[in-house]
Amino acid sequence: MSQKLQKEAFISNLNGTTLQEISVGLTLAPLCVACRGLLLVFYHQHYGRPLSSRKYLLLLDLTVLVAPLVLSCTVLSPVLPFVPSTIFLICAGLFSKIYRGRNRYVGAPCRHIISEFLKTSLEPEYVPSITVFRVYVNLLTAISILAVDFPQYPRRYAKTETYGTGVMDFGVGAFIFGNALVCPEVRQKSGAAQAKFSYLARQSLAVWPLVFLGLGRLVSVKAVDYHEHLSEYGVHWNFFFTLAFVRIAASLLLSLVPAQKSWIVAVVLAVFYQFILDVTPLKVFVFYGSDGRDSRVGFLNANREGVFSLFGYLAIYMASVQVGLYVLKKRTVVKDWIEVICLFLLTVILLFIFLHLTQMYIDPVSRRLANLAFCIWVVAHGLTFFILFLVTDLILVLTKLLVNGSGVPCCWNLSQPPSTNKKHDSEPVSIKREEKLLSVCLINAINKNQLVFFLLANVMTGIVNMMIDTIHSNTVVTLFVLHLYMFTNCLSMYILHAKNLILKWW
């Protein structure tokens, strides 16, 4: 068997992992963000000044924000719950030391501090959790698309063949979910009703880079005879095409239906698509082709997974538009955001109940079909992931309140600190915006060039696979290659951000 066929077999016929393991894994990234923030506040508290060295900040970000993700999906995957548990204990220890050494609310009872925290005013125009969510989906995707070709990456994390819940299956859906959170309709940039045609034309032009990237990937993969998993999207289709077509279709739908009703469109689309799958031969066609023997003759046969999964991804996108609209409503104090978290938690619980019933009585989760269960699962776990980042942000806000002058990149700034009791404060609080750190943050760096980062990760993955026999690599080689790969990708974004360069040519 050729190396190409070996690699294709290595990532085929897999069944995924459990929802519980995915849920445990989702806690890791928010804990890494919390740990990085607590370390920065602790440094400021201990030395009386923020960490300003760019090389040390980059080293901190790579060590705390990236390395645990690489290790948790390779050598530490057999003991996955141990990783977030350890980071949680480190965070708890750091918070305890910061709380005991605080220079604000000194001597104040805990109840008073919490009361002041709930009244803390935050920047109404910026929700950092959206940025961190999207960046981490990109980071996790970048790690997984290369790590999956190494034997140390658990097969249960890879994309499933027909039914099942793999980590990479969720990653695909989360990418769509994250894109919708910042779409023009959510940011209220869709234009007036009389300009709908010109708006749709602009949206169609805005996706041309994705179409060209999809064509570029198609040509390059065929040219170098690169290994492919055909049941992902098909012979010619790829994820860039999915992103482009979902964006265009969503813009068309949102020009006809008010964005505030997008959840209704999502439900109708997902349910109707599932109905068609159940009452017509479409499901059999997607799995086995028109002849029942996995035929790939003709465009629709060749790309049936990519074409028909568009309906499911579009439903996910529309559901996320509703989430984005709700998140970006103007809120002024911490208490408002706690109410948001409670509402989202209730939504997640209901979604998981629906998911259980759907899998039991209708159809199990299938990324290949992007069926109703897949849509519910992606939205449920996507919301869970987002909630965890919201909670992390609020914890860091509380931590910054305890240490005067401290700051954390990619975290809410205090637009107006709450009134304080001078009896308990070590110094008066001036009403001013928290001073922005001059240092470069890796999350901000990737956020500025997300599409470039995703493209670079794909190119680097191809280069590594052509240079190395990945499926026969030992643990040392695997870890070295993955860390070097992520260091190269992150350093490239870091340099672009340091030079204030945004590579956007459309």
Side-chain angles (χ1 to χ4, degrees):
M1 185 182 293
S2 67
Q3 189 176 85
K4 177 189 174 183
L5 292 177
Q6 288 182 47
K7 288 189 174 184
E8 288 175 354
F10 192 59
I11 57 176
S12 301
N13 301 311
L14 304 172
N15 299 314
T17 184
T18 64
L19 294 176
Q20 291 80 8
E21 185 172 24
I22 294 174
S23 298
V24 171
L26 289 180
T27 64
L28 182 58
L31 283 168
C32 290
V33 174
C35 187
R36 191 275 301 262
L38 290 168
L39 283 169
L40 290 173
V41 174
F42 179 71
Y43 181 93
H44 186 281
Q45 183 186 52
H46 189 70
Y47 292 101
R49 56 183 174 81
L51 179 62
S52 56
S53 170
R54 288 187 170 185
K55 63 179 180 181
Y56 288 130
L57 280 165
L58 176 61
L59 180 62
L60 176 68
D61 284 352
L62 289 171
T63 304
V64 180
L65 299 181
V66 179
L69 305 180
V70 175
L71 296 173
S72 66
C73 69
T74 51
V75 292
L76 296 181
S77 59
V79 289
L80 179 63
F82 174 78
V83 183
S85 299
T86 301
I87 298 176
F88 175 80
L89 292 175
I90 293 172
C91 290
L94 285 169
F95 183 82
S96 177
K97 290 188 72 68
I98 292 169
Y99 182 81
R100 291 199 302 271
R102 65 189 184 276
N103 57 19
R104 292 176 62 188
Y105 306 107
V106 177
C110 182
R111 182 178 299 177
H112 173 74
I113 295 174
I114 292 175
S115 175
E116 292 296 298
F117 167 63
L118 293 176
K119 294 185 290 184
T120 301
S121 296
L122 305 172
E123 286 182 305
E125 304 87 7
Y126 175 53
V127 183
S129 298
I130 294 177
T131 298
V132 181
F133 176 94
R134 298 182 71 241
V135 166
Y136 258 102
V137 168
N138 226 327
L139 276 169
L140 291 166
T141 302
I143 294 170
S144 294
I145 59 175
L146 177 59
V148 70
D149 294 318
F150 290 90
Q152 289 74 20
Y153 188 88
R155 296 300 89 194
R156 65 184 184 275
Y157 289 179
K159 290 179 180 176
T160 55
E161 190 68 27
T162 52
Y163 293 104
T165 51
V167 174
M168 293 185 72
D169 294 326
F170 171 69
V172 175
F175 220 101
I176 298 289
F177 187 93
N179 278 1
L181 289 176
V182 295
C183 70
E185 292 82 6
V186 168
R187 291 176 288 150
Q188 308 296 321
K189 294 184 177 181
S190 56
Q194 62 270 22
K196 289 297 181 184
F197 179 79
S198 60
Y199 167 70
L200 288 172
R202 288 197 303 272
Q203 292 306 304
S204 299
L205 290 174
V207 301
W208 73 262
L210 292 171
V211 175
F212 275 92
L213 288 173
L215 291 172
R217 189 184 192 283
L218 171 63
V219 171
S220 59
V221 165
K222 301 301 181 184
V224 301
D225 199 27
Y226 192 74
H227 67 277
E228 298 177 86
H229 187 194
L230 290 184
S231 66
E232 282 188 36
Y233 300 105
V235 178
H236 311 105
W237 203 270
N238 58 59
F239 191 52
F240 290 110
F241 292 141
T242 296
L243 290 174
F245 279 90
V246 166
R247 172 76 177 274
I248 294 173
S251 295
L252 177 60
L253 285 175
L254 290 169
S255 69
L256 302 173
V257 179
Q260 290 76 12
K261 304 294 183 183
S262 59
W263 71 273
I264 298 176
V265 178
V267 171
V268 170
L269 192 60
V271 171
F272 180 72
Y273 175 52
Q274 182 64 53
F275 176 75
I276 296 299
L277 286 172
D278 288 340
V279 302
T280 69
L282 180 59
K283 185 188 300 184
V284 175
F285 173 73
V286 173
F287 282 151
Y288 306 110
S290 57
D291 62 354
R293 292 178 293 180
D294 200 25
S295 169
R296 294 288 175 179
V297 178
F299 179 82
L300 199 57
N301 255 321
N303 303 287
R304 54 186 184 268
E305 296 89 352
V307 172
F308 290 104
S309 64
L310 287 173
F311 294 100
Y313 289 126
L314 182 56
I316 293 169
Y317 190 98
M318 297 300 288
S320 183
V321 167
Q322 190 73 55
V323 174
L325 286 171
Y326 184 72
V327 168
L328 291 182
K329 284 183 177 179
K330 188 173 182 180
R331 296 177 179 86
T332 56
V333 294
V334 167
K335 186 179 179 181
D336 295 337
W337 284 103
I338 293 178
E339 292 175 358
V340 171
I341 291 171
C342 291
L343 177 63
F344 280 170
L345 280 173
L346 178 61
T347 305
V348 166
I349 292 170
L350 291 174
L351 285 171
F352 275 115
I353 291 172
F354 287 139
L355 175 60
H356 177 73
L357 295 174
T358 302
Q359 294 206 98
M360 182 177 293
Y361 297 108
I362 301 177
D363 210 15
V365 172
S366 173
R367 179 221 26 101
R368 194 169 172 183
L369 295 171
N371 58 1
L372 176 61
F374 177 78
C375 296
I376 297 173
W377 169 51
V378 168
V379 175
H381 260 146
L383 263 180
T384 303
F385 202 33
F386 185 69
I387 289 169
L388 291 170
F389 284 123
L390 276 176
V391 172
T392 298
D393 269 338
L394 293 181
I395 291 171
L396 293 177
V397 167
L398 174 59
T399 308
K400 292 195 293 181
L401 273 178
L402 300 175
V403 181
N404 196 39
S406 59
V408 177
C410 287
C411 177
W412 264 307
N413 288 326
L414 313 183
S415 60
Q416 184 178 355
S419 57
T420 54
N421 188 335
K422 293 185 180 180
K423 178 179 177 181
H424 298 301
D425 287 328
S426 61
E427 61 185 87
V429 180
S430 59
I431 301 176
K432 64 177 183 178
R433 185 168 177 171
E434 185 179 89
E435 183 179 352
K436 185 179 180 180
L437 291 177
L438 298 176
S439 56
V440 173
C441 166
L442 181 59
I443 294 175
N444 277 331
I446 296 174
N447 182 54
K448 292 291 185 182
N449 287 285
Q450 288 216 44
L451 184 57
V452 176
F453 179 80
F454 183 56
L455 178 61
L456 178 62
N458 276 269
V459 172
M460 292 289 291
T461 296
I463 293 172
V464 171
N465 268 283
M466 288 188 287
M467 294 178 61
I468 298 174
D469 180 12
T470 54
I471 62 175
H472 297 113
S473 298
N474 60 39
T475 302
V476 174
V477 171
T478 298
L479 291 179
F480 174 78
V481 170
L482 287 176
H483 280 97
L484 180 61
Y485 157 81
M486 288 306 297
F487 174 77
T488 303
N489 292 337
C490 293
L491 181 62
S492 301
M493 299 303 104
Y494 189 90
I495 292 172
L496 289 175
H497 187 47
K499 296 182 178 297
N500 198 29
L501 294 176
I502 300 176
L503 300 183
K504 187 173 182 178
W505 55 91
W506 62 95

